[in-house]
Amino acid sequence: MAISRKGLTLMSIVGHIRTCLDHGRLYQYEPAIPVEAHLRIILLTPEMREEIDAELLDREAEHRTGAFLADLDHFIAGGEITIGDRRDKHAFLKRLEPEGEQVWELRSVDPEPSVRAFGTFADTDILVLTPMRLRTELGGFNSRAFKDEIRRTRQIWHGIFAPYSPLTSEKVTDYVNENVNDLRNTQ
């Protein structure tokens, strides 16, 4: 069965993802605690997977990394997701500016220091995470470090997915299909 997005068949990007998984260019994140159903998918680049593994081995970072992985598990299991813009301090996901770049940040805020994982949606409920950084390393919202991570995320996307484009929509439910709260609508 082919799923279409704006008149294009998705079999090609799904097939591309399968090929990347088969060849180690992407890894599907599996929850630390098995869940009945995976309602959403998180794909990791090899670098992101190595970052997570290294952080888990670091005794000082293992608790913070465990909380980050619990947030990934929450996303995969279909937990409620809040989406906001730069003013929404409690959003789980934010699309970063410029919005046309389609780079998102997944925000793991508890405990301090908070972690930001940058990524792009390949399709509805399929989030590809590239780098992650401690929020304290990024400076202000429009800092050079933030812009560098957005640029890096786009470069990684193109390196893995060219000629495919990331999912682009104004509807939040095109990114996260269900159990989503759009904080942008309440302002």
Side-chain angles (χ1 to χ4, degrees):
M1 173 173 79
I3 305 168
S4 66
R5 175 173 65 177
K6 297 191 179 186
L8 301 173
T9 185
L10 274 182
M11 290 306 289
S12 55
I13 197 164
V14 170
H16 184 75
I17 290 170
R18 285 188 186 121
T19 299
C20 288
L21 290 168
D22 290 344
H23 291 95
R25 294 189 72 204
L26 289 172
Y27 295 92
Q28 185 169 345
Y29 172 76
E30 294 295 334
I33 299 171
V35 293
E36 281 185 38
H38 293 197
L39 300 180
R40 303 178 188 122
I41 296 170
I42 291 180
L43 301 173
L44 305 174
T45 61
E47 297 80 15
M48 179 70 161
R49 183 177 177 199
E50 288 173 19
E51 266 184 271
I52 290 171
D53 290 345
E55 294 293 320
L56 285 173
L57 294 174
D58 180 343
R59 294 298 249 165
E60 292 181 25
E62 70 181 344
H63 179 68
R64 175 60 250 167
T65 306
F68 171 71
L69 295 179
D71 286 333
L72 297 186
D73 293 355
H74 176 80
F75 180 84
I76 290 170
E80 182 176 354
I81 300 300
T82 54
I83 293 180
D85 62 23
R86 67 185 178 119
R87 295 175 298 246
D88 298 311
K89 296 194 184 306
H90 301 291
F92 184 79
L93 283 172
K94 291 183 181 184
R95 185 168 46 187
L96 299 174
E97 296 174 2
E99 288 187 1
E101 296 292 319
Q102 295 302 320
V103 174
W104 293 75
E105 75 174 332
L106 183 147
R107 305 172 73 246
S108 180
V109 297
D110 189 28
E112 292 288 330
S114 61
V115 172
R116 301 299 190 264
F118 295 86
T120 308
F121 281 88
D123 193 29
T124 304
D125 296 326
I126 302 176
L127 179 59
V128 181
L129 292 180
T130 51
M132 69 177 185
R133 295 288 169 260
L134 292 176
R135 179 62 181 91
T136 54
E137 298 171 347
L138 294 169
F141 182 73
N142 275 325
S143 70
R144 180 173 187 85
F146 252 108
K147 291 177 183 176
D148 287 347
E149 292 305 329
I150 291 169
R151 189 176 313 106
R152 181 175 168 208
T153 299
R154 292 294 295 155
Q155 289 171 340
I156 292 168
W157 173 272
H158 288 298
I160 295 172
F161 286 98
Y164 304 105
S165 297
L167 178 63
T168 302
S169 179
E170 290 305 314
K171 290 176 49 182
V172 168
T173 54
D174 285 344
Y175 295 98
V176 179
N177 188 37
E178 59 185 65
N179 209 13
V180 61
N181 182 16
D182 187 355
L183 299 175
R184 300 170 312 155
N185 289 337
T186 60
Q187 298 174 15

